[in-house]
Amino acid sequence: MNFKIISLLLSCATFPSAFSQDSLKSIRPAVSIKPVELDWRSIKWPSINYTRIPVDGGAAIYSLHSSTALKFKVTFVFSGGVYAFPESERTAFGAFSDLITLGGFGDLNFDQIQNYTTEYGINIRSSITPLGQFVITADALSEDFPRLLSLVNNMILKPKFEEKALDLWKQQSIDAFNNLMDSNTIEKQYRFIDIEATKLAFGKEHYFAKSIERVSPSVIKKVTYDQIKNIYKRTISKNGLNVSISGSFTQKDFDSLRQLVGKIPYLEPSIKTWYPSRKMNTQNAKKINTVIIKKSDMSQSTVSLRYYYPKFGKLNSIETTQFDILEEIFSSTGGVIGNDRFSKAMRADSGISYSPHAYFNDTLLFPNTDVGVFYLNFQSPNERIAEAIRIATQTWHKFIKEGVSQEELDNARTSMINRMLASESTVFNKSDEILTQLIKGQLPSVNPVEFTLAKLDKQRSVKNLNETLKRLSDSEIVPVLVIMGNPNDEQIKLLKKIDALDLSHVSELSSLTKPYM
């Protein structure tokens, strides 16, 4: 059977591979262009006029209609999720998410489902959100609404969980795991880097530090159908269910969706009993705790320098906008390469990295919002890795100690506003935004773009921005650095001479993968 390959591996941030060292040695001057401020106030911003329809039993349907769309999209977000079950059930929960489709539903097995959805251009998938909730998402042409809804009805209410599908899922998951072990792409490398960074910051027993262990063959093989069926029975409930429908659909279509939601069983509230711990290793935080993962076939080192702030606290809306601007100044997500601090230092001035990228995350352990982290990720030739680390750390310290200029603030604010004006938002983007806000416990905004533009436009005081930035220099910090590559002994000696670093250990990649095999 031609089953699609399904993996439990969590996704990580990806970055383009660096070119060879010679290609980095450019003698062309960096181009700097001052962005032209566009008039966002001259635009009439239409409201997102969504409708909320409650359904007896604790569910709600959020609808956003479009008379011009040719398709529709429906999303079910079930309450509870991963954190309503013991941590030991995480792998089984992922299996449930996959097997509700892979195991067939209604009168169809997976092959028949694939053939049917392919014939009518229907997309239907199940997944787990970053916050642990189980989600079903489906879309199709408006004329195929009855066909899609029939599939979703059977998926939710009549899953088959065929016995042979579990064996196939296990084999495919193990194959995906073995494919991860060679770490021959940057995406795979960052999986191991994430694990090691989490161990340094939170300890080896932390939930995020075990993400590879949870998909290892020994754990995969222990998943049983009894676990999966128990998770299904405790997850599929209309109590706390949020449903979104967007695009082109009729009143009859909406009524049939409402009837489906009404048929979903009612269970008592699914309460989360735990979250990933926010307790951090703060005892040795004066220097950057550093590890090197040796991989002999890598000509470039992949690097992640992270500054964790364990008591950062929750940002208000003003601070959130300010940190968006600070992130843009330090590492721009658009515009001319070399205008921001990080790419200017790592690429334009030194030619030491082709792919520097930094970003801030104040919801790393959401909803445990105390912890914030600034990521500085890049690649560099093995023979220049010590120089690259020195430049990266110096660039960061200068940024938080000296602050930013009025010109940097003005350019960043204008660039961010202009990018938003150039972006197109479809009815499906808007419905996704509504669901995102609901999942975070927020009331969906009817005009989020205009409000975001207005908040950006208000940020004109560099003094206020630098006062917010000062929080990074004044806050307690847990810095960690993970290098995966093949630096020689000379480069390792140079790394040890950098006062800001504390090199904990150097390990071969094989020593990290061996316990999982």
Side-chain angles (χ1 to χ4, degrees), residues 307-326:
Y307 294 93
Y308 291 91
Y309 295 88
K311 298 180 180 179
F312 198 74
K314 185 176 181 179
L315 299 179
N316 60 41
S317 61
I318 298 173
E319 292 167 332
T320 298
T321 303
Q322 289 174 329
F323 269 97
D324 286 343
I325 293 174
L326 290 169

Side-chain angles (χ1 to χ4, degrees), residues 162-181:
E162 293 177 339
E163 289 288 341
K164 59 184 177 181
L166 178 59
D167 292 335
L168 182 61
W169 174 85
K170 289 182 178 182
Q171 185 57 58
Q172 291 178 341
S173 297
I174 291 171
D175 289 345
F177 174 85
N178 291 334
N179 184 49
L180 170 67
M181 291 298 101

Side-chain angles (χ1 to χ4, degrees), residues 14 16 50 59 242 328 427:
T14 60
Y50 67 89
N242 285 311
E328 177 76 9
V427 65

Side-chain angles (χ1 to χ4, degrees), residues 21 55 96 110 130 174 178 197 208 261 288 357 381 389 411 430 458 475:
Q21 183 182 1
V55 179
F96 150 71
F110 184 73
I174 291 171
N178 291 334
F208 291 153
V261 174
I288 302 173
H357 177 65
I389 299 299
N411 288 347
K430 293 172 183 177
K458 289 293 184 183
S475 297

Side-chain angles (χ1 to χ4, degrees), residues 346-358:
M346 301 296 291
R347 181 181 177 185
D349 290 349
S350 65
I352 207 165
S353 176
Y354 187 79
S355 56
H357 177 65

Side-chain angles (χ1 to χ4, degrees), residues 55 61 76 149 153 157 238 251-264:
V55 179
I61 303 175
F76 293 73
L149 199 65
N153 177 90
L157 300 177
K238 62 185 172 185
Q251 183 62 47
K252 181 180 178 181
D253 294 334
F254 182 86
D255 291 342
S256 60
L257 173 62
R258 187 174 182 177
Q259 290 172 7
L260 168 57
V261 174
K263 289 191 294 184
I264 296 174

Side-chain angles (χ1 to χ4, degrees), residues 123 165 289 351 463 474:
N123 297 306
N289 200 351
K463 178 182 177 182
D474 293 345

Side-chain angles (χ1 to χ4, degrees), residues 392-412:
T393 54
Q394 290 174 348
T395 302
W396 172 253
H397 288 300
K398 183 177 180 180
F399 177 66
I400 64 171
K401 293 295 183 183
E402 298 181 8
V404 303
S405 69
Q406 184 68 51
E407 183 180 16
E408 286 178 313
L409 166 57
D410 294 340
N411 288 347

